[in-house]
């Protein structure tokens, strides 16, 4: 495994050796990170735009301290390792259709930690496989997809109970479990219709729907624990003919049910 650091002022294409170094802030010319390498953007990486001109597969991606832009375009990043595989930064921006695909199929645990990024700078994650525990840390996400992208199966481990905010669509896999707990899963999109599919899995946690201008549409029955609360604060909750089962349902805000 080799470590690679983004350098040369932060502007350029991923698939170019002129933008990579073996040390933070070091000389460029290192090989482009590949399947057995880690990639890091940090405070020494500059404030320019790093463009994904390919869809790379690497082990881990760290963005701590980066103040530039990661431009996905229509490309994706795949992470094939375990442990902490992604660390984001509230100081960076993203453009395009940001998607990170997590592909490890082992029983070893994984952690992703994007931080409390804004809706505009949130990133989508797909977990295509694996049976180990998955810590989706407190923070904000765009789409969360636990399937392989084609079938209803995919990730088959335990999904952590943390304070998670989802700005996009949510799609569980049929084989996963949700760790029970008091931390809420919040849907907070401020525009468009976002779908929620828990695939028949019981999510024993509170739910909050809180996005002015957003619509949250069930595409499967949504079941939480008998002691949990579902709260509609802002936006429209569209049951779409499906049932929400929860201990308490509250709507103290300006949200709309249909």
């Amino acid at each position: 495994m080799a470590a690679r650091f983004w350098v040369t002022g932060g502007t350029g294409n991923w698939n170019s050796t002129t933008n990579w170094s073996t040390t933070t802030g070091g000389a460029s010319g290192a090989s482009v990170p590949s399947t057995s390498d880690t990639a890091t953007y940090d405070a020494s990486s500059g404030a320019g735009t790093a463009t994904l001109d390919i869809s790379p597969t690497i082990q881990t991606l760290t963005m701590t301290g980066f103040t530039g832009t990661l431009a996905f375009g229509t490309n994706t990043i795949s992470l094939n390792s375990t442990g902490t595989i992604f660390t984001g930064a509230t100081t960076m921006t993203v453009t395009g259709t940001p998607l990170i695909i997590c592909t490890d199929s082992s029983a070893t645990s994984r952690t992703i930690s994007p931080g409390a990024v804004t809706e505009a700078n949130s990133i989508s994650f797909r977990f295509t496989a694996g049976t180990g525990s998955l810590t989706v840390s407190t923070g904000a996400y765009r789409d969360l997809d636990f399937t392989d992208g084609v079938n209803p199966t995919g990730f088959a481990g335990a999904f952590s109970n943390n304070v998670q905010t989802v700005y996009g669509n949510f799609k569980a896999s049929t084989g996963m479990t949700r760790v029970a707990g008091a931390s809420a899963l919040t849907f907070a999109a401020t525009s468009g219709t976002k779908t929620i599919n828990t695939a028949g899995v019981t999510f024993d946690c509170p739910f909050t729907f809180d996005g002015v201008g957003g619509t949250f549409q069930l595409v499967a029955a949504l079941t939480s624990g008998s002691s949990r609360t579902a709260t509609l604060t802002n936006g429209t909750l569209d049951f779409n003919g499906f049932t929400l089962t929860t201990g308490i349902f509250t709507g103290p805000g300006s949200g709309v049910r249909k």
Side-chain angles (χ1 to χ4, degrees):
M1 181 178 73
R4 293 291 180 262
F5 297 83
W6 185 264
V7 291
T8 65
T11 296
N13 290 331
W14 176 288
N15 197 31
S16 173
T17 59
T18 61
N19 298 309
W20 295 103
S21 176
T22 58
T23 59
T24 178
S28 62
S31 60
V32 174
S34 189
T35 55
S36 60
D37 302 325
T38 65
T40 298
Y41 293 76
D42 59 18
S44 297
S45 297
T49 299
T51 299
L52 283 176
D53 56 330
I54 60 170
S55 291
T57 297
I58 56 176
Q59 291 200 345
T60 66
L61 178 63
T62 302
M63 311 298 297
T64 305
F66 182 51
T67 57
T69 298
L70 185 57
F72 280 80
T74 58
N75 287 308
T76 63
I77 298 174
S78 292
L79 304 178
N80 64 9
S81 192
T82 58
T84 299
I85 57 175
F86 176 78
T87 304
T90 57
T91 52
M92 63 176 285
T93 58
V94 297
T95 60
T97 308
L99 172 61
I100 293 177
I101 304 172
C102 307
T103 62
D104 180 78
S105 61
S106 75
T108 305
S109 62
R110 288 171 289 177
T111 297
I112 61 172
S113 183
V117 296
T118 63
E119 182 175 11
N121 291 319
S122 59
I123 296 172
S124 296
F125 290 85
R126 181 188 301 151
F127 305 91
T128 63
T131 58
S133 62
L134 175 62
T135 299
V136 177
S137 299
T138 297
Y141 304 81
R142 194 165 297 190
D143 296 347
L144 279 180
D145 184 349
F146 298 88
T147 73
D148 64 9
V150 177
N151 303 296
T153 55
F155 174 66
F159 167 42
S160 67
N161 178 245
N162 296 94
V163 179
Q164 297 140 348
T165 298
V166 178
Y167 287 114
N169 302 311
F170 185 91
K171 189 175 186 180
S173 70
T174 54
M176 68 183 288
T177 58
R178 168 70 164 180
V179 175
S183 296
L185 179 58
T186 297
F187 299 96
T190 58
S191 65
T193 298
K194 310 304 179 184
T195 59
I196 302 170
N197 184 356
T198 52
V201 177
T202 297
F203 277 63
D204 188 3
C205 67
F207 287 95
T208 300
F209 306 91
D210 187 11
V212 176
T215 295
F216 314 103
Q217 184 182 73
L218 303 187
V219 294
L222 179 60
T223 302
S224 68
S226 60
S227 65
R228 308 301 180 190
T229 299
T231 304
L232 173 59
T233 303
N234 290 294
T236 298
L237 177 57
D238 180 3
F239 290 96
N240 193 31
F242 293 97
T243 301
L244 168 62
T245 303
T246 186
I248 300 172
F249 183 87
T250 65
S254 59
V256 177
R257 288 173 286 173
K258 69 174 185 177

